Amino acid sequence: MGASAALKSRPSAEPDGAEAMLRVALSLFLEQGYHGASMRDIAQRAGVSVSAAYHYFPSKADMLRTIMVRVTEDLIADLEAARDGAGPDPAARLAAIVRAHVLLHTRRQDESFIGNSELRSLSLVDRRKVVALRDRVGQVFKDVVAEGCRRRVFSQPYAAETVRAILTMCTAVAGWYRANGPDRPETIAERYAELALRLVGAGRGEEGHTR
Amino acid sequence: MGASAALKSRPSAEPDGAEAMLRVALSLFLEQGYHGASMRDIAQRAGVSVSAAYHYFPSKADMLRTIMVRVTEDLIADLEAARDGAGPDPAARLAAIVRAHVLLHTRRQDESFIGNSELRSLSLVDRRKVVALRDRVGQVFKDVVAEGCRRRVFSQPYAAETVRAILTMCTAVAGWYRANGPDRPETIAERYAELALRLVGAGRGEEGHTR
DNA sequence: GCGAACTTAACGAACGTTCGCATGGGATGG
DNA sequence: CCATCCCATGCGAACGTTCGTTAAGTTCGC
């Protein structure tokens, strides 16, 4: 706070009150659901009064929308970067986006879980926006798998079901991953990449596990 | 129950008051979440007064518990029947329980979805009970996959991750299945059985698709 | 007239949100 | 240099509404 006195005109990325409130709101939405968590709970756990919370966010709904939009936009950015950084090979691309998806869903597990489970708590207009973002996530996977099928490096007859299976399998990671569990995020990401390749019928031979 | 002549106290055609209320509660929990749905909503959509609802269930929490316990117990019964009816071959057993799992998650989609998403809304004691039931579901899959690995008809190194992937992939069906979509439940079940076999590394040759 | 089904009306608590006010450091003007 | 205003920050109290639940009474087939 003291050091950044000159920067107060631009409230960009700093661990300020709003960010702290978002973190608290996130953990409460996670524990009790959006409707189950009250503004009084959030304010109390953040160590401020109820009305102080309304200085940072105009409403409770705005907190949820902020959380969901942000994590979904970051997911899209991660996926596109992973895909473009993996070269043109569809198998490498699929492995890369699965890794990126799993990594984000472990490293930012709580946001990801809320992003997947509280769609119904959004207002109609917010829901449309988040659904559109989620569609873009699915499209990245669809395109990669479709390209692999076209080039015949993937062999499976039901592309739509398979994409859905991969996507839901990767998404569910946010539901069961535990940071103090036996596996590191990178390990899980690597294994899920292999599982995804099995699902699309690629890599029947041994995949070189560069690690 | 068939001789329901004694129950025609009201001409409104309802098979059973409690069962109808459960159905309404289920659909509202689905749309708005447990905390988002009020007893007034439920009673109104069921066509009774608020207090009449309390003649059938002692509390709102009791409705949720009833829904979740019932569908999970039925799932366990379906899984065990499918497993035992499939003979001793681990691949046939895995395919059978995946089919059964997917079928129940499409045919009783709403209950299944609530059973997977509203655990956090249960009281502590109810949650423990449902978690125990869900553990039994997972155990059925674990046992079948472990047996397949022991007999070397499944080839994959990460049994725990793979079981979790299969389970979450099958569970997520309740989230996206649409009854008026292009695929019938049986079709989806068959494809998911094949996907599961791919995940465990079984059936490298062509599976006979008896259909 | 008994009990199950169902009603109206209300209880106290908790909800999201708003109001009026206090504080205190940084910019502004004389 | 000091008085001034600004405004982000923060508070306690209250707004009107809705919450889950209950009490007391009514209807009606048996």
PDB file of all heavy atoms in Angstrom, chain A residues 40 47-49 51-52 55-56, chain D residues 8-15:
ATOM      1  N   ARG A  40     -23.185 -11.284   4.340  1.00  0.00           N
ATOM      2  CA  ARG A  40     -22.687 -11.139   5.705  1.00  0.00           C
ATOM      3  C   ARG A  40     -21.561 -12.135   5.988  1.00  0.00           C
ATOM      4  O   ARG A  40     -20.558 -11.800   6.617  1.00  0.00           O
ATOM      5  CB  ARG A  40     -23.840 -11.325   6.696  1.00  0.00           C
ATOM      6  CG  ARG A  40     -24.784 -10.136   6.730  1.00  0.00           C
ATOM      7  CD  ARG A  40     -26.083 -10.462   7.455  1.00  0.00           C
ATOM      8  NE  ARG A  40     -26.972  -9.296   7.541  1.00  0.00           N
ATOM      9  CZ  ARG A  40     -27.762  -8.898   6.564  1.00  0.00           C
ATOM     10  NH1 ARG A  40     -27.807  -9.581   5.433  1.00  0.00           N
ATOM     11  NH2 ARG A  40     -28.525  -7.832   6.706  1.00  0.00           N
ATOM     12  N   GLY A  47     -13.198  -9.745   6.975  1.00  0.00           N
ATOM     13  CA  GLY A  47     -12.782  -8.828   8.023  1.00  0.00           C
ATOM     14  C   GLY A  47     -13.250  -7.396   7.826  1.00  0.00           C
ATOM     15  O   GLY A  47     -12.670  -6.473   8.379  1.00  0.00           O
ATOM     16  N   VAL A  48     -14.313  -7.220   7.060  1.00  0.00           N
ATOM     17  CA  VAL A  48     -14.858  -5.872   6.874  1.00  0.00           C
ATOM     18  C   VAL A  48     -16.352  -5.892   7.192  1.00  0.00           C
ATOM     19  O   VAL A  48     -16.942  -6.957   7.397  1.00  0.00           O
ATOM     20  CB  VAL A  48     -14.640  -5.365   5.434  1.00  0.00           C
ATOM     21  CG1 VAL A  48     -13.164  -5.276   5.109  1.00  0.00           C
ATOM     22  CG2 VAL A  48     -15.366  -6.250   4.440  1.00  0.00           C
ATOM     23  N   SER A  49     -16.948  -4.735   7.222  1.00  0.00           N
ATOM     24  CA  SER A  49     -18.381  -4.676   7.481  1.00  0.00           C
ATOM     25  C   SER A  49     -19.144  -5.026   6.205  1.00  0.00           C
ATOM     26  O   SER A  49     -18.579  -5.086   5.116  1.00  0.00           O
ATOM     27  CB  SER A  49     -18.769  -3.278   7.930  1.00  0.00           C
ATOM     28  OG  SER A  49     -18.677  -2.394   6.840  1.00  0.00           O
ATOM     29  N   SER A  51     -21.442  -3.332   4.620  1.00  0.00           N
ATOM     30  CA  SER A  51     -21.560  -2.245   3.643  1.00  0.00           C
ATOM     31  C   SER A  51     -20.226  -1.946   2.968  1.00  0.00           C
ATOM     32  O   SER A  51     -20.212  -1.439   1.849  1.00  0.00           O
ATOM     33  CB  SER A  51     -22.089  -0.982   4.319  1.00  0.00           C
ATOM     34  OG  SER A  51     -21.359  -0.701   5.484  1.00  0.00           O
ATOM     35  N   ALA A  52     -19.135  -2.242   3.632  1.00  0.00           N
ATOM     36  CA  ALA A  52     -17.830  -2.032   2.999  1.00  0.00           C
ATOM     37  C   ALA A  52     -17.686  -2.918   1.770  1.00  0.00           C
ATOM     38  O   ALA A  52     -17.025  -2.541   0.798  1.00  0.00           O
ATOM     39  CB  ALA A  52     -16.714  -2.321   3.984  1.00  0.00           C
ATOM     40  N   HIS A  55     -18.542  -1.378  -1.447  1.00  0.00           N
ATOM     41  CA  HIS A  55     -17.644  -0.400  -2.052  1.00  0.00           C
ATOM     42  C   HIS A  55     -16.790  -1.034  -3.139  1.00  0.00           C
ATOM     43  O   HIS A  55     -16.288  -0.338  -4.011  1.00  0.00           O
ATOM     44  CB  HIS A  55     -16.761   0.237  -0.985  1.00  0.00           C
ATOM     45  CG  HIS A  55     -17.432   1.304  -0.214  1.00  0.00           C
ATOM     46  ND1 HIS A  55     -17.466   2.620  -0.613  1.00  0.00           N
ATOM     47  CD2 HIS A  55     -18.140   1.248   0.935  1.00  0.00           C
ATOM     48  CE1 HIS A  55     -18.138   3.334   0.267  1.00  0.00           C
ATOM     49  NE2 HIS A  55     -18.566   2.516   1.217  1.00  0.00           N
ATOM     50  N   TYR A  56     -16.631  -2.351  -3.053  1.00  0.00           N
ATOM     51  CA  TYR A  56     -15.780  -3.046  -4.010  1.00  0.00           C
ATOM     52  C   TYR A  56     -16.591  -3.660  -5.145  1.00  0.00           C
ATOM     53  O   TYR A  56     -16.134  -3.726  -6.280  1.00  0.00           O
ATOM     54  CB  TYR A  56     -14.981  -4.135  -3.300  1.00  0.00           C
ATOM     55  CG  TYR A  56     -14.018  -3.569  -2.280  1.00  0.00           C
ATOM     56  CD1 TYR A  56     -14.249  -3.700  -0.919  1.00  0.00           C
ATOM     57  CD2 TYR A  56     -12.884  -2.897  -2.702  1.00  0.00           C
ATOM     58  CE1 TYR A  56     -13.367  -3.180   0.000  1.00  0.00           C
ATOM     59  CE2 TYR A  56     -11.993  -2.364  -1.783  1.00  0.00           C
ATOM     60  CZ  TYR A  56     -12.243  -2.518  -0.437  1.00  0.00           C
ATOM     61  OH  TYR A  56     -11.368  -1.995   0.461  1.00  0.00           O
TER      62      TYR A  56
ATOM     63  P    DA D   8     -13.355   7.626  -5.319  1.00  0.00           P
ATOM     64  OP1  DA D   8     -12.806   8.157  -6.579  1.00  0.00           O
ATOM     65  OP2  DA D   8     -14.796   7.292  -5.226  1.00  0.00           O
ATOM     66  O5'  DA D   8     -12.509   6.345  -4.882  1.00  0.00           O
ATOM     67  C5'  DA D   8     -11.113   6.461  -4.707  1.00  0.00           C
ATOM     68  C4'  DA D   8     -10.691   5.875  -3.373  1.00  0.00           C
ATOM     69  O4'  DA D   8     -11.098   6.767  -2.301  1.00  0.00           O
ATOM     70  C3'  DA D   8     -11.291   4.511  -3.043  1.00  0.00           C
ATOM     71  O3'  DA D   8     -10.261   3.671  -2.539  1.00  0.00           O
ATOM     72  C2'  DA D   8     -12.331   4.814  -1.966  1.00  0.00           C
ATOM     73  C1'  DA D   8     -11.715   6.004  -1.271  1.00  0.00           C
ATOM     74  N9   DA D   8     -12.686   6.904  -0.609  1.00  0.00           N
ATOM     75  C8   DA D   8     -13.799   7.463  -1.175  1.00  0.00           C
ATOM     76  N7   DA D   8     -14.474   8.229  -0.347  1.00  0.00           N
ATOM     77  C5   DA D   8     -13.748   8.178   0.833  1.00  0.00           C
ATOM     78  C6   DA D   8     -13.930   8.773   2.090  1.00  0.00           C
ATOM     79  N6   DA D   8     -14.954   9.588   2.366  1.00  0.00           N
ATOM     80  N1   DA D   8     -13.017   8.521   3.051  1.00  0.00           N
ATOM     81  C2   DA D   8     -11.991   7.701   2.760  1.00  0.00           C
ATOM     82  N3   DA D   8     -11.713   7.072   1.619  1.00  0.00           N
ATOM     83  C4   DA D   8     -12.635   7.359   0.688  1.00  0.00           C
ATOM     84  P    DT D   9     -10.532   2.143  -2.239  1.00  0.00           P
ATOM     85  OP1  DT D   9      -9.247   1.438  -2.376  1.00  0.00           O
ATOM     86  OP2  DT D   9     -11.703   1.724  -3.034  1.00  0.00           O
ATOM     87  O5'  DT D   9     -10.935   2.128  -0.700  1.00  0.00           O
ATOM     88  C5'  DT D   9      -9.969   2.495   0.284  1.00  0.00           C
ATOM     89  C4'  DT D   9     -10.638   2.636   1.631  1.00  0.00           C
ATOM     90  O4'  DT D   9     -11.605   3.701   1.594  1.00  0.00           O
ATOM     91  C3'  DT D   9     -11.429   1.394   2.098  1.00  0.00           C
ATOM     92  O3'  DT D   9     -10.717   0.766   3.141  1.00  0.00           O
ATOM     93  C2'  DT D   9     -12.769   1.972   2.567  1.00  0.00           C
ATOM     94  C1'  DT D   9     -12.491   3.465   2.653  1.00  0.00           C
ATOM     95  N1   DT D   9     -13.675   4.344   2.467  1.00  0.00           N
ATOM     96  C2   DT D   9     -14.110   5.102   3.536  1.00  0.00           C
ATOM     97  O2   DT D   9     -13.561   5.088   4.621  1.00  0.00           O
ATOM     98  N3   DT D   9     -15.200   5.887   3.278  1.00  0.00           N
ATOM     99  C4   DT D   9     -15.895   5.990   2.082  1.00  0.00           C
ATOM    100  O4   DT D   9     -16.866   6.728   1.977  1.00  0.00           O
ATOM    101  C5   DT D   9     -15.399   5.167   1.014  1.00  0.00           C
ATOM    102  C7   DT D   9     -16.083   5.187  -0.319  1.00  0.00           C
ATOM    103  C6   DT D   9     -14.323   4.385   1.247  1.00  0.00           C
ATOM    104  P    DG D  10     -11.110  -0.647   3.645  1.00  0.00           P
ATOM    105  OP1  DG D  10      -9.988  -1.229   4.413  1.00  0.00           O
ATOM    106  OP2  DG D  10     -11.662  -1.350   2.477  1.00  0.00           O
ATOM    107  O5'  DG D  10     -12.292  -0.342   4.680  1.00  0.00           O
ATOM    108  C5'  DG D  10     -11.975   0.266   5.915  1.00  0.00           C
ATOM    109  C4'  DG D  10     -13.222   0.772   6.580  1.00  0.00           C
ATOM    110  O4'  DG D  10     -13.853   1.769   5.758  1.00  0.00           O
ATOM    111  C3'  DG D  10     -14.336  -0.265   6.773  1.00  0.00           C
ATOM    112  O3'  DG D  10     -14.238  -0.838   8.070  1.00  0.00           O
ATOM    113  C2'  DG D  10     -15.630   0.560   6.652  1.00  0.00           C
ATOM    114  C1'  DG D  10     -15.143   1.943   6.277  1.00  0.00           C
ATOM    115  N9   DG D  10     -16.010   2.579   5.303  1.00  0.00           N
ATOM    116  C8   DG D  10     -16.086   2.333   3.952  1.00  0.00           C
ATOM    117  N7   DG D  10     -16.978   3.069   3.341  1.00  0.00           N
ATOM    118  C5   DG D  10     -17.524   3.841   4.351  1.00  0.00           C
ATOM    119  C6   DG D  10     -18.540   4.819   4.305  1.00  0.00           C
ATOM    120  O6   DG D  10     -19.186   5.212   3.326  1.00  0.00           O
ATOM    121  N1   DG D  10     -18.795   5.363   5.570  1.00  0.00           N
ATOM    122  C2   DG D  10     -18.149   4.990   6.721  1.00  0.00           C
ATOM    123  N2   DG D  10     -18.514   5.614   7.839  1.00  0.00           N
ATOM    124  N3   DG D  10     -17.192   4.085   6.782  1.00  0.00           N
ATOM    125  C4   DG D  10     -16.936   3.551   5.568  1.00  0.00           C
ATOM    126  P    DC D  11     -15.257  -1.947   8.508  1.00  0.00           P
ATOM    127  OP1  DC D  11     -14.531  -2.830   9.431  1.00  0.00           O
ATOM    128  OP2  DC D  11     -15.931  -2.512   7.327  1.00  0.00           O
ATOM    129  O5'  DC D  11     -16.322  -1.120   9.347  1.00  0.00           O
ATOM    130  C5'  DC D  11     -15.891  -0.245  10.383  1.00  0.00           C
ATOM    131  C4'  DC D  11     -17.049   0.602  10.860  1.00  0.00           C
ATOM    132  O4'  DC D  11     -17.452   1.487   9.799  1.00  0.00           O
ATOM    133  C3'  DC D  11     -18.291  -0.213  11.214  1.00  0.00           C
ATOM    134  O3'  DC D  11     -18.338  -0.419  12.613  1.00  0.00           O
ATOM    135  C2'  DC D  11     -19.461   0.636  10.722  1.00  0.00           C
ATOM    136  C1'  DC D  11     -18.834   1.756   9.901  1.00  0.00           C
ATOM    137  N1   DC D  11     -19.371   1.853   8.512  1.00  0.00           N
ATOM    138  C2   DC D  11     -20.437   2.713   8.246  1.00  0.00           C
ATOM    139  O2   DC D  11     -20.938   3.361   9.169  1.00  0.00           O
ATOM    140  N3   DC D  11     -20.904   2.806   6.974  1.00  0.00           N
ATOM    141  C4   DC D  11     -20.343   2.086   6.009  1.00  0.00           C
ATOM    142  N4   DC D  11     -20.814   2.216   4.774  1.00  0.00           N
ATOM    143  C5   DC D  11     -19.248   1.207   6.256  1.00  0.00           C
ATOM    144  C6   DC D  11     -18.805   1.113   7.520  1.00  0.00           C
ATOM    145  P    DG D  12     -19.250  -1.536  13.180  1.00  0.00           P
ATOM    146  OP1  DG D  12     -18.657  -1.918  14.482  1.00  0.00           O
ATOM    147  OP2  DG D  12     -19.438  -2.547  12.115  1.00  0.00           O
ATOM    148  O5'  DG D  12     -20.645  -0.816  13.441  1.00  0.00           O
ATOM    149  C5'  DG D  12     -20.669   0.379  14.235  1.00  0.00           C
ATOM    150  C4'  DG D  12     -22.065   0.957  14.242  1.00  0.00           C
ATOM    151  O4'  DG D  12     -22.408   1.412  12.907  1.00  0.00           O
ATOM    152  C3'  DG D  12     -23.179  -0.022  14.649  1.00  0.00           C
ATOM    153  O3'  DG D  12     -24.102   0.653  15.499  1.00  0.00           O
ATOM    154  C2'  DG D  12     -23.783  -0.456  13.316  1.00  0.00           C
ATOM    155  C1'  DG D  12     -23.578   0.772  12.442  1.00  0.00           C
ATOM    156  N9   DG D  12     -23.363   0.471  11.025  1.00  0.00           N
ATOM    157  C8   DG D  12     -22.516  -0.472  10.508  1.00  0.00           C
ATOM    158  N7   DG D  12     -22.512  -0.511   9.200  1.00  0.00           N
ATOM    159  C5   DG D  12     -23.416   0.468   8.833  1.00  0.00           C
ATOM    160  C6   DG D  12     -23.831   0.888   7.538  1.00  0.00           C
ATOM    161  O6   DG D  12     -23.471   0.457   6.441  1.00  0.00           O
ATOM    162  N1   DG D  12     -24.772   1.914   7.614  1.00  0.00           N
ATOM    163  C2   DG D  12     -25.247   2.475   8.775  1.00  0.00           C
ATOM    164  N2   DG D  12     -26.137   3.448   8.636  1.00  0.00           N
ATOM    165  N3   DG D  12     -24.861   2.090   9.988  1.00  0.00           N
ATOM    166  C4   DG D  12     -23.949   1.090   9.943  1.00  0.00           C
ATOM    167  P    DA D  13     -25.380  -0.120  16.052  1.00  0.00           P
ATOM    168  OP1  DA D  13     -25.654   0.466  17.389  1.00  0.00           O
ATOM    169  OP2  DA D  13     -25.146  -1.567  15.909  1.00  0.00           O
ATOM    170  O5'  DA D  13     -26.559   0.302  15.055  1.00  0.00           O
ATOM    171  C5'  DA D  13     -26.706   1.677  14.697  1.00  0.00           C
ATOM    172  C4'  DA D  13     -27.816   1.825  13.656  1.00  0.00           C
ATOM    173  O4'  DA D  13     -27.306   1.467  12.343  1.00  0.00           O
ATOM    174  C3'  DA D  13     -29.040   0.940  13.895  1.00  0.00           C
ATOM    175  O3'  DA D  13     -30.199   1.742  13.887  1.00  0.00           O
ATOM    176  C2'  DA D  13     -29.007  -0.074  12.749  1.00  0.00           C
ATOM    177  C1'  DA D  13     -28.266   0.693  11.663  1.00  0.00           C
ATOM    178  N9   DA D  13     -27.556  -0.159  10.714  1.00  0.00           N
ATOM    179  C8   DA D  13     -26.727  -1.213  10.999  1.00  0.00           C
ATOM    180  N7   DA D  13     -26.211  -1.796   9.937  1.00  0.00           N
ATOM    181  C5   DA D  13     -26.746  -1.081   8.877  1.00  0.00           C
ATOM    182  C6   DA D  13     -26.594  -1.206   7.492  1.00  0.00           C
ATOM    183  N6   DA D  13     -25.822  -2.136   6.911  1.00  0.00           N
ATOM    184  N1   DA D  13     -27.270  -0.330   6.706  1.00  0.00           N
ATOM    185  C2   DA D  13     -28.046   0.600   7.290  1.00  0.00           C
ATOM    186  N3   DA D  13     -28.259   0.804   8.591  1.00  0.00           N
ATOM    187  C4   DA D  13     -27.575  -0.069   9.332  1.00  0.00           C
ATOM    188  P    DA D  14     -31.616   1.185  14.320  1.00  0.00           P
ATOM    189  OP1  DA D  14     -32.287   2.264  15.069  1.00  0.00           O
ATOM    190  OP2  DA D  14     -31.433  -0.157  14.909  1.00  0.00           O
ATOM    191  O5'  DA D  14     -32.358   1.018  12.924  1.00  0.00           O
ATOM    192  C5'  DA D  14     -32.388   2.122  12.035  1.00  0.00           C
ATOM    193  C4'  DA D  14     -32.589   1.630  10.627  1.00  0.00           C
ATOM    194  O4'  DA D  14     -31.482   0.789  10.248  1.00  0.00           O
ATOM    195  C3'  DA D  14     -33.835   0.768  10.417  1.00  0.00           C
ATOM    196  O3'  DA D  14     -34.863   1.558   9.859  1.00  0.00           O
ATOM    197  C2'  DA D  14     -33.365  -0.329   9.432  1.00  0.00           C
ATOM    198  C1'  DA D  14     -31.921   0.039   9.143  1.00  0.00           C
ATOM    199  N9   DA D  14     -31.037  -1.115   8.968  1.00  0.00           N
ATOM    200  C8   DA D  14     -30.530  -1.926   9.936  1.00  0.00           C
ATOM    201  N7   DA D  14     -29.747  -2.889   9.478  1.00  0.00           N
ATOM    202  C5   DA D  14     -29.760  -2.684   8.122  1.00  0.00           C
ATOM    203  C6   DA D  14     -29.127  -3.354   7.051  1.00  0.00           C
ATOM    204  N6   DA D  14     -28.344  -4.420   7.217  1.00  0.00           N
ATOM    205  N1   DA D  14     -29.334  -2.883   5.808  1.00  0.00           N
ATOM    206  C2   DA D  14     -30.131  -1.829   5.648  1.00  0.00           C
ATOM    207  N3   DA D  14     -30.777  -1.114   6.550  1.00  0.00           N
ATOM    208  C4   DA D  14     -30.547  -1.596   7.780  1.00  0.00           C
ATOM    209  P    DC D  15     -36.285   0.954   9.587  1.00  0.00           P
ATOM    210  OP1  DC D  15     -37.250   2.030   9.882  1.00  0.00           O
ATOM    211  OP2  DC D  15     -36.386  -0.349  10.286  1.00  0.00           O
ATOM    212  O5'  DC D  15     -36.315   0.666   8.022  1.00  0.00           O
ATOM    213  C5'  DC D  15     -35.913   1.690   7.107  1.00  0.00           C
ATOM    214  C4'  DC D  15     -35.801   1.100   5.712  1.00  0.00           C
ATOM    215  O4'  DC D  15     -34.592   0.300   5.637  1.00  0.00           O
ATOM    216  C3'  DC D  15     -36.944   0.153   5.360  1.00  0.00           C
ATOM    217  O3'  DC D  15     -37.948   0.877   4.658  1.00  0.00           O
ATOM    218  C2'  DC D  15     -36.277  -0.888   4.446  1.00  0.00           C
ATOM    219  C1'  DC D  15     -34.793  -0.775   4.759  1.00  0.00           C
ATOM    220  N1   DC D  15     -34.202  -1.978   5.408  1.00  0.00           N
ATOM    221  C2   DC D  15     -33.444  -2.872   4.639  1.00  0.00           C
ATOM    222  O2   DC D  15     -33.301  -2.646   3.434  1.00  0.00           O
ATOM    223  N3   DC D  15     -32.901  -3.960   5.239  1.00  0.00           N
ATOM    224  C4   DC D  15     -33.079  -4.161   6.540  1.00  0.00           C
ATOM    225  N4   DC D  15     -32.520  -5.234   7.079  1.00  0.00           N
ATOM    226  C5   DC D  15     -33.850  -3.266   7.332  1.00  0.00           C
ATOM    227  C6   DC D  15     -34.397  -2.198   6.731  1.00  0.00           C
TER     228       DC D  15
END
